[in-house]
């Protein structure tokens, strides 16, 4: 390794006071499991600009976070995701008056990770009307924000035509749910992708020229790092839809225009074997956001895309650096927060929790992962002196 790159890697590992530019080797391989540097506190962010997105389990979780904190979140981009509480509305195909257990529903109905049969019978997909009732009940119980806040949000949805992991009917129920919640046709963009190049399960990029452990993955393939070359950047299209005003048409080099930094994520949750959260999170900060007002976007990785994964199929920094977000964020004054899930009992692939492995409150404002990400967003926004407090039990702290 070149001496300068070695010192960059050491600097990130030890997290000295002066962050270095976001060169590839700034994140060691394998990355540290924990870091001591706190989240940056010198950013200028618009509290009305918070949006989320995610792929696969991160897509399920981004939508779940949108619903639970709809008073804070102004929009969502979901790739290969499904509706809120999907695993709790799947009926047992043998006894239709009973629900399927959550783990089985997660892997044979909400996704087809382990096929589409439950002991030989195929469960029905989730119904948007059933999910809406679940959301209404959660709001009545004080577990989530008022879903009426969703109606004026912008939503971008994508599922690849060749995706065998998340069924078309599940993605369709997510679109139907947003319609039921009042998102109108102009604000709901169902992305067709690039029809001549149908996509598999992954996040599309225009080209994947990164310094990666993996060979280029074609749009039609399903393979690590699940960043697939499709001739367009999904990150561009979703960010353009979520932030339509003044969106800059061309990306810029994120290395020259900003920094990708690790921060201590462990301070935002109480460590436990089931939490499924890494000790290190990541954030991309355009340099301009230290002096001018910027927007905040939260991007959730998919299963097996967590930066701290070990083993031959670890993706290292291919999601946080190479999924396309940073080059468009740099051009459009968007800070991108990359929270990190990790392996846990019941979650061997580092997925975000959309089926309850982290505890019974997993889909509510008080779920360990939900609360941790909410606290990260609050920390970034409250630096501006713009915090708007409300008593507990409360809706999202920040309103738009």
């Amino acid at each position: 390794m070149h001496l300068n790159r070695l010192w960059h890697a050491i600097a990130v590992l030890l997290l000295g006071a002066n962050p270095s530019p976001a060169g590839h080797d700034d994140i060691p391989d394998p990355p540290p499991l924990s870091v001591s540097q706190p989240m940056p506190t010198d950013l200028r962010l618009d509290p009305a600009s918070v949006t989320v997105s995610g792929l696969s389990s991160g897509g399920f979780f981004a939508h779940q976070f949108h619903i639970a904190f709809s008073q804070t979140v102004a929009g969502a981009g979901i790739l290969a995701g499904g509706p809120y509480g999907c695993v709790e509305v799947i009926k047992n195909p043998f006894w239709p008056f009973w629900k399927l257990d959550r783990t089985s529903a997660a892997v044979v109905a909400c996704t087809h990770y382990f096929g589409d049969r439950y002991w030989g019978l195929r469960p029905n997909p989730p119904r948007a009307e059933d999910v809406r009732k679940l959301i209404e009940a959660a709001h009545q119980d004080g577990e989530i924000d008022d879903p009426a806040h969703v109606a004026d949000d912008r939503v971008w949805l994508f599922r690849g035509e060749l995706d065998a992991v998340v069924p078309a009917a599940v993605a369709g129920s997510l679109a139907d749910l947003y319609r039921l919640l009042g998102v109108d046709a102009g604000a709901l963009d169902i992305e067709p992708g690039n029809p001549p190049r149908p996509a598999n399960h992954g996040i599309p990029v225009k080209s994947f020229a990164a310094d990666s452990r993996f060979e280029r993955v074609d749009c039609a393939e399903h393979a690590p790092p699940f960043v697939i070359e499709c001739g367009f950047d999904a990150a561009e299209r979703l960010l353009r839809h979520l932030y339509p005003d003044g969106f800059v048409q061309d990306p810029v080099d994120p290395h020259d225009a900003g920094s990708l930094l690790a921060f201590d994520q462990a301070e935002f949750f109480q460590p436990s074997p089931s939490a499924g959260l890494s000790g290190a999170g990541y954030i991309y900060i355009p340099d301009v956001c230290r002096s001018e007002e910027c927007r905040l976007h939260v991007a959730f990785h998919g299963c097996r895309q967590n930066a701290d994964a070990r083993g031959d199929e670890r993706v290292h920094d291919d999601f946080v650096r190479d999924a396309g977000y940073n080059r468009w964020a740099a051009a459009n004054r968007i800070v991108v927060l990359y929270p990190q899930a990790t392996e846990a009992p019941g979650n061997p692939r580092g997925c975000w929790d959309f089926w309850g492995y982290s505890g019974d409150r997993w889909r509510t404002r008080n779920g360990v992962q939900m609360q941790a990400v909410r606290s990260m967003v609050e920390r970034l926004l409250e630096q501006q002196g713009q915090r708007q407090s409300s008593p507990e039990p409360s809706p999202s702290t920040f309103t738009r």
Side-chain angles (χ1 to χ4, degrees):
M1 181 184 289
H2 189 279
L3 183 59
N4 287 340
R5 289 188 174 185
L6 176 61
W7 280 113
H8 281 319
I10 293 171
V12 170
L13 182 61
L14 299 179
L15 289 171
N18 296 317
S20 58
H24 182 84
D25 289 325
D26 287 349
I27 299 178
D29 185 10
L33 298 177
S34 62
V35 295
S36 59
Q37 177 132 323
M39 179 178 280
T41 61
D42 59 343
L43 308 180
R44 296 186 60 191
L45 297 171
D46 176 4
S49 72
V50 180
T51 60
V52 296
S53 69
L55 167 67
S56 193
S57 72
F60 278 89
F61 192 87
H63 165 67
Q64 180 176 295
F65 192 86
H66 183 200
I67 297 300
F69 297 107
S70 59
Q71 191 169 331
T72 295
V73 179
I78 312 298
L79 297 96
Y84 179 90
C86 178
V87 298
E88 297 192 347
V89 299
I90 303 298
K91 294 180 180 179
N92 188 310
F94 288 94
W95 299 282
F97 296 105
W98 295 84
K99 301 290 175 57
L100 206 57
D101 69 275
R102 294 190 309 227
T103 301
S104 296
V107 296
V108 300
C110 299
T111 76
H112 286 172
Y113 212 86
F114 290 155
D116 64 352
R117 305 287 176 137
Y118 179 73
W119 296 101
L121 294 184
R122 182 182 291 115
N124 289 325
R127 295 175 62 249
E129 183 57 44
D130 293 338
V131 177
R132 182 171 69 170
K133 292 177 182 177
L134 183 69
I135 290 171
E136 291 172 348
H139 174 240
Q140 290 172 1
D141 290 342
E143 296 175 338
I144 64 173
D145 288 356
D146 187 342
H149 293 298
V150 174
D152 63 353
D153 291 350
R154 298 182 67 82
V155 176
W156 183 95
L157 305 177
F158 175 75
R159 173 193 173 272
E161 184 180 344
L162 302 181
D163 192 334
V165 177
V166 174
V170 172
S173 70
L174 177 59
D176 290 342
L177 174 64
Y178 274 119
R179 294 186 186 102
L180 287 177
L181 294 176
V183 179
D184 64 36
L188 178 61
D189 184 0
I190 301 177
E191 171 63 48
N194 184 1
R197 299 181 67 180
N200 210 312
H201 189 75
I203 183 165
V205 293
K206 185 174 183 179
S207 63
F208 187 70
D211 180 8
S212 174
R213 299 178 57 253
F214 301 98
E215 298 293 328
R216 180 187 70 87
V217 180
D218 184 74
C219 198
E221 297 180 81
H222 179 224
F226 313 106
V227 178
I228 54 179
E229 192 169 287
C230 295
F232 73 97
D233 282 340
E236 174 203 358
R237 295 190 182 182
L238 71 88
L239 290 173
R240 184 186 300 275
H241 181 73
L242 297 178
Y243 301 115
D245 296 334
F247 196 88
V248 175
Q249 301 299 313
D250 297 311
V252 301
D253 187 336
H255 300 242
D256 294 338
S259 301
L260 179 64
L261 307 174
F263 66 89
D264 178 13
Q265 186 174 269
E267 70 166 304
F268 296 101
F269 65 96
Q270 184 68 38
S272 73
S274 63
L277 289 168
S278 175
Y282 295 86
I283 186 168
Y284 177 76
I285 304 172
D287 292 336
V288 69
C289 297
R290 300 185 187 278
S291 59
E292 299 180 19
E293 188 172 72
C294 291
R295 286 81 70 91
L296 176 61
H297 184 75
V298 186
F300 297 98
H301 61 76
C303 300
R304 295 192 287 167
Q305 287 186 316
N306 50 309
D308 70 357
R310 273 32 181 183
D312 292 341
E313 290 194 345
R314 67 188 184 279
V315 305
H316 185 215
D317 61 1
D318 284 349
F319 184 82
V320 300
R321 191 182 303 286
D322 303 320
Y325 287 97
N326 299 346
R327 54 181 170 263
W328 293 101
N332 288 280
R333 301 204 317 271
I334 301 169
V335 170
V336 185
L337 173 64
Y338 294 102
Q340 295 291 294
T342 196
E343 292 77 10
N347 177 39
R349 297 177 183 263
C351 305
W352 287 97
D353 190 6
F354 69 95
W355 70 94
Y357 70 78
S358 65
D360 290 339
R361 296 183 292 180
W362 58 278
R363 59 176 173 81
T364 75
R365 290 192 306 249
N366 292 321
V368 59
Q369 293 183 0
M370 302 278 276
Q371 199 168 60
V373 177
R374 174 193 182 178
S375 296
M376 295 177 213
V377 171
E378 288 182 339
R379 176 71 58 81
L380 288 167
L381 295 183
E382 69 189 17
Q383 305 310 324
Q384 324 316 311
Q386 295 166 326
R387 181 163 184 162
Q388 300 175 19
S389 301
S390 53
E392 292 292 339
S394 69
S396 307
T397 299
F398 292 95
T399 58
R400 48 186 172 84

